[in-house]
Amino acid sequence: MTSNVKGFTLVELVTVILILGVLILGVNGIIIFGSRIFVESSSVDQVIGQSRFSVERITRELRNAVPNSVRLTSNTNSQCIEFVPIVASTSYLTMPIASLTQVANGAKVMRDNAQSRIAAGQWAIIYPVSEADVYQQAKAKRFSLNKVTLEANSIDLEFAAPVQFSAASPRKRVYFSSDAVSYCFEQGGDLYRYAAYGLLEVQPTASSMPVARVKVLMGQHVVNDLGDNDDLPLSLTPASLMTNAIVQLQPRFSVLGETFQYRHQVQVINVP
């Protein structure tokens, strides 16, 4: 009897298996290569986005700083920039100021807006022409508010005790603030924001921050050499009679062997 059964020979099967193996290896290489490109691109985009956010955040806050409150400190472990953010500002109508009025525990200022941001517990600061005027209470340029009463077109301020500011503002400006804020580039490549630690006469470093503070991670992968004065991420040109304070931001970031650097200048435009 004649058999009509058909099939593949062993040689044909081995040949097909070899061809499929080669195809699988090629496709697998393409998939792995594409996945690696995607992961690396995502990592780069994440670091770039994070760095842009941190630089923009520092810029916005510095532009809203109390005049002459910006100061800088550096060591081999960290570099920190500190300033006092403005919560509100307005013009005063009556204020206990030396050579103008007697010591008093009350004052009156113009209402800044319909929903005033001035509140008890804040600092009232008048005519700060140096960082000492902001951070040293003995200079009599800042006093704490005990009570705030909103009137129709003005705000009544009450201090905790009778006070007297040491100097008047040429334009009768008064600034209101709470605690200082610090941005610290730290050894290891991290950037942190410190807040809610008060106003200290001596500027704290990252390692000397009070225990009672709020610490938030703002950026990573910073590769500036904090021991090299020519490679620090921050520099400060203090205010003078001719110019406002200028902060130069120049942090370098690194990801997957690639390094990029920002060169950004911030002018602190507020004046006493």
Side-chain angles (χ1 to χ4, degrees), residues 193-253:
R193 182 183 187 272
Y194 294 89
Y197 59 86
L199 293 179
L200 307 177
E201 290 192 9
V202 178
Q203 183 180 359
T205 62
S207 58
S208 64
M209 281 287 171
V211 176
R213 81 284 191 269
V214 176
K215 180 180 179 181
V216 178
L217 179 64
M218 301 297 294
Q220 292 180 302
H221 307 287
V222 183
V223 293
N224 293 78
D225 185 358
L226 299 179
D228 183 358
N229 290 334
D230 295 328
D231 191 34
L232 295 176
L234 297 165
S235 62
L236 171 64
T237 302
S240 66
L241 293 177
M242 301 298 295
T243 61
N244 296 314
I246 297 176
V247 178
Q248 183 72 36
L249 298 170
Q250 46 199 18
R252 288 190 297 114
F253 296 85

